[in-house]
Amino acid sequence: MTPSPTHRDAGAPPRRGRWLLAAALLALGPKCALCVLAYAGLGAALGFGGGELCGPAEPGAATLILTSGFGLLGLGVIACQKGRRRLASGRR
């Protein structure tokens, strides 16, 4: 005589299906921050991005100044790190 399924097991997928789903999510999920950015970029390139919540941004002088400023700030940080490493190693 087979035991009747309990209330908890009545709607649950079979055990093998749960394992396959978990394995697929682990295989396809991002493993690092760079992978998350790559997945986001791929989604945006394929058009999976939604519309802006507050409407599209209007391009203007402030946008150009902020974008350029953050770009130069990033380059400055990289240059400072390279300079520190050179000084620490004793090379010029």
Side-chain angles (χ1 to χ4, degrees):
M1 191 152 72
T2 60
S4 63
T6 63
H7 176 68
R8 184 173 163 199
D9 293 336
R15 190 173 196 175
R16 186 179 318 143
R18 288 186 301 211
W19 275 100
L20 287 174
L21 178 65
L25 288 176
L26 277 174
L28 296 175
K31 312 296 187 287
C32 61
L34 187 59
C35 296
V36 171
L37 291 175
Y39 279 19
L42 182 64
L46 294 175
F48 293 134
E52 295 288 330
L53 294 176
C54 300
E58 296 180 18
T63 306
L64 179 63
I65 291 171
L66 283 174
T67 305
S68 301
F70 282 124
L72 289 174
L73 179 67
L75 289 174
V77 168
I78 292 171
C80 287
Q81 288 179 348
K82 292 269 187 185
R84 281 178 138 182
R85 288 184 186 155
R86 270 197 188 150
L87 287 175
S89 67
R91 292 187 305 175
R92 291 200 174 239

